[in-house]
Amino acid sequence: MKKQHISFDNYNDAMLKVNVRRLPEVLQKGHQFFLEAREFYFQESEIKETIDIYLEQLNAHLFPNQKINGYTANVSLLFIRDFLKMHRTVQSKNELKEFIFALQKAVSSKEITKDDPYASHIEQLQHKLIFQHNEMILAQYVKIIINRKWRSELQKIVNRTPTGGIGSLDIIISKEPKNIPIARTKKNELFTSFDQKSTVINTPTFRLPGAMGELLGDLEKFELAITIEGDQGGGKTRFTYQLADAFASIGNRVAIFTLEIGGRSDLITRMKDEYLSPDNRNRISRADQLPDGYKTIANATSDFDVIIIDSWNKTGLSSQDFDRLRKQYPNTIFIVIFQRTTGKTIRGGTAPLFDAGINIEVVKADDTFQNNYAVTTKNRYGITGIQYNIFTKNIIGAAEIASESIFES
């Protein structure tokens, strides 16, 4: 079989056979950078280096089992190599999170599949990094020490390929990104060099205070939507009042549509007294009716930063309207409770779970309510699996400050 390879010289013809929109986001941006900067390829060494790395990553993605320059391009190798570079280094919590995010994205975009020759190694290091991140509830830095036996095993894998030419994921864990000049074209502000720490444009983030911030991570307001589902009697409504208080505490105006509970109910008063801080109540409002359906919610976006709906099933709207709200009003944060069927799937279809940035499940541990917890089952902004006790309003299993982590195989 003739070897397939996309190079600088054959790029235009070769890319006619590639659906750019189906490429991973990082490669789509690399394609745009190539188009903008290729005229400077032979003039600027930094641009040449960036384009060469992009081409190698593109070939590794398009032809994963093909040998190029004497070795088989493999994305999982890049992660294993950069994981080894963490050995005996001090890593911040954010650096671990960025590495985990990049790894999860490679898996979800099928750059790494279950058929990958190193899939078991990737799964193992992913599990250990997530576990370590979750243990760093009160810590910001950790010293990584990889067990000698496991380190030797991983090093043998890396040594099977040349040390150069297969690109790098150093952008994920480097502490001081290089400031590499790129060509001055009209769209250059849209792109970041592959040699820099982040391959996406930095957007403003914020974090809720205390344990709620640990649960949700560093959030981005744009098109942020959170779904909440779970066991009956688990504490979904109580949890949303805690969310309302957390968002109000950082200055947001919050509206709660209490469609499940009438405004005159004594439960509303008890929720207010128990979960809403007196200092935040002037920023939180409620309504127990939706007279004009979708339009009522849409009109509220002009007055409130955060809109909580308890529950979506009482709105009479379709599941598609959930994503419609998120897209039409991208600067409003939507937090919505969805009721479950007897089969433990959300009523009206699962589309909102895919559209939302964060999915939270509320689990009823027992009848005392004291052990009920919320857990993120999907989170584009933080780590999934962290459990938040609704009664104590604390993270479950919060660890002491970590000073050293030893990864065993």
Side-chain angles (χ1 to χ4, degrees):
M1 179 185 293
K2 184 179 179 181
K3 181 174 71 175
Q4 294 177 291
H5 181 62
I6 297 177
S7 66
F8 181 85
D9 294 326
N10 71 3
Y11 190 85
N12 287 344
D13 292 335
M15 291 301 286
L16 292 176
K17 301 176 183 179
V18 177
N19 187 336
V20 175
R21 292 183 178 180
R22 292 187 177 181
L23 292 175
E25 183 180 357
V26 65
L27 295 181
Q28 291 185 40
K29 293 187 176 183
H31 171 71
Q32 291 298 326
F33 177 81
F34 181 95
L35 297 179
E36 295 290 342
R38 60 183 170 185
E39 63 182 293
F40 301 94
Y41 182 77
F42 296 105
Q43 301 173 23
E44 299 284 347
S45 61
E46 294 89 352
I47 290 176
K48 183 179 185 302
E49 182 182 0
T50 300
I51 287 178
D52 287 344
I53 291 175
Y54 156 65
L55 290 174
E56 287 162 355
Q57 292 178 337
L58 177 66
N59 281 292
H61 173 76
L62 295 176
F63 317 117
N65 299 315
Q66 176 174 282
K67 288 191 174 182
I68 299 174
N69 297 330
Y71 66 91
T72 301
N74 193 291
V75 174
S76 58
L77 267 175
L78 306 183
F79 283 99
I80 292 173
R81 188 175 68 180
D82 282 338
F83 175 65
L84 285 170
K85 289 180 181 179
M86 291 184 182
H87 180 57
R88 293 196 177 279
T89 66
V90 175
Q91 298 291 323
S92 73
K93 189 174 182 179
N94 284 336
E95 286 170 336
L96 288 185
K97 182 174 72 173
E98 288 175 6
F99 190 96
I100 294 167
F101 277 2
L103 183 54
Q104 289 177 331
K105 189 170 184 179
V107 172
S108 64
S109 63
K110 299 191 183 302
E111 292 179 86
I112 301 175
T113 68
K114 64 180 181 179
D115 298 322
D116 189 286
Y118 309 118
S120 61
H121 299 85
I122 290 295
E123 183 178 6
Q124 189 176 28
L125 71 88
Q126 181 184 32
H127 170 76
K128 298 201 179 282
L129 286 173
I130 290 175
F131 177 81
Q132 178 56 49
H133 183 280
N134 290 349
E135 287 294 303
M136 295 172 67
I137 299 300
L138 302 177
Q140 289 303 314
Y141 297 93
V142 63
K143 184 177 181 180
I144 301 295
I145 299 177
I146 306 174
N147 172 271
R148 183 173 64 180
K149 180 181 177 181
W150 191 28
R151 189 171 76 252
S152 176
E153 180 183 348
L154 296 178
Q155 193 64 56
K156 287 178 181 178
I157 294 173
V158 172
N159 289 342
R160 292 172 192 165
T161 61
T163 56
I166 62 173
S168 175
L169 291 173
D170 294 343
I171 51 174
I172 298 169
I173 60 173
S174 61
K175 297 183 185 304
E176 296 182 1
K178 300 176 182 178
N179 293 319
I180 296 180
I182 59 176
R184 295 182 178 179
T185 59
K186 292 181 180 179
K187 296 183 180 178
N188 274 342
E189 65 272 13
L190 296 177
F191 306 102
T192 302
S193 165
F194 282 94
D195 259 354
Q196 290 181 321
K197 182 172 182 178
S198 175
T199 57
V200 297
I201 294 175
N202 291 325
T203 55
T205 62
F206 67 94
R207 177 177 282 250
L208 297 177
M212 197 67 78
E214 294 292 340
L215 175 69
L216 301 183
D218 296 323
L219 303 174
E220 296 175 7
K221 187 174 183 179
F222 183 74
E223 293 187 359
L224 174 57
I226 301 173
T227 67
I228 300 171
E229 57 165 328
D231 300 331
Q232 185 175 3
K236 296 186 293 294
T237 298
R238 294 172 185 270
F239 179 67
T240 58
Y241 272 74
Q242 294 176 26
L243 277 172
D245 190 63
F247 275 101
S249 70
I250 58 173
N252 289 291
R253 298 162 300 165
V254 182
I256 306 176
F257 284 99
T258 60
L259 305 181
E260 289 282 346
I261 306 170
R264 296 182 180 180
S265 170
D266 180 60
L267 181 59
I268 295 293
T269 302
R270 285 190 280 123
M271 293 279 190
K272 177 197 72 174
D273 293 340
E274 188 169 356
Y275 299 116
L276 302 184
S277 167
D279 293 337
N280 294 334
R281 292 174 190 172
N282 65 328
R283 288 189 287 270
I284 305 174
S285 303
R286 61 175 174 80
D288 60 3
Q289 298 180 37
L290 208 64
D292 297 316
Y294 184 93
K295 186 177 179 181
T296 301
I297 303 173
N299 289 340
T301 61
S302 61
D303 297 318
F304 298 97
D305 305 298
V306 180
I307 293 179
I308 298 174
I309 302 175
D310 181 9
S311 68
W312 185 262
N313 306 87
K314 292 291 185 177
T315 66
L317 302 174
S318 69
S319 60
Q320 288 75 22
D321 284 323
F322 173 78
D323 196 44
R324 180 183 165 200
L325 279 170
R326 187 174 68 92
K327 293 292 187 182
Q328 286 190 341
Y329 306 98
N331 294 318
T332 300
I333 298 168
F334 293 96
I335 301 171
V336 181
I337 292 178
F338 287 87
Q339 300 297 341
R340 279 179 170 179
T341 66
T342 54
K344 292 197 173 183
T345 60
I346 68 171
R347 297 185 186 276
T350 59
L353 299 182
F354 294 96
D355 297 330
I358 301 176
N359 300 150
I360 297 174
E361 180 182 9
V362 171
V363 178
K364 183 179 180 180
D366 53 42
D367 292 330
T368 68
F369 184 75
Q370 295 184 6
N371 297 311
N372 294 1
Y373 62 90
V375 57
T376 51
T377 56
K378 168 188 170 183
N379 192 346
R380 291 175 184 160
Y381 313 97
I383 304 301
T384 59
I386 298 177
Q387 297 179 359
Y388 170 93
N389 185 290
I390 300 172
F391 180 76
T392 64
K393 295 182 276 189
N394 288 315
I395 298 297
I396 297 175
E400 296 297 325
I401 296 179
S403 59
E404 183 171 278
S405 175
I406 299 178
F407 287 84
E408 302 284 353
S409 63

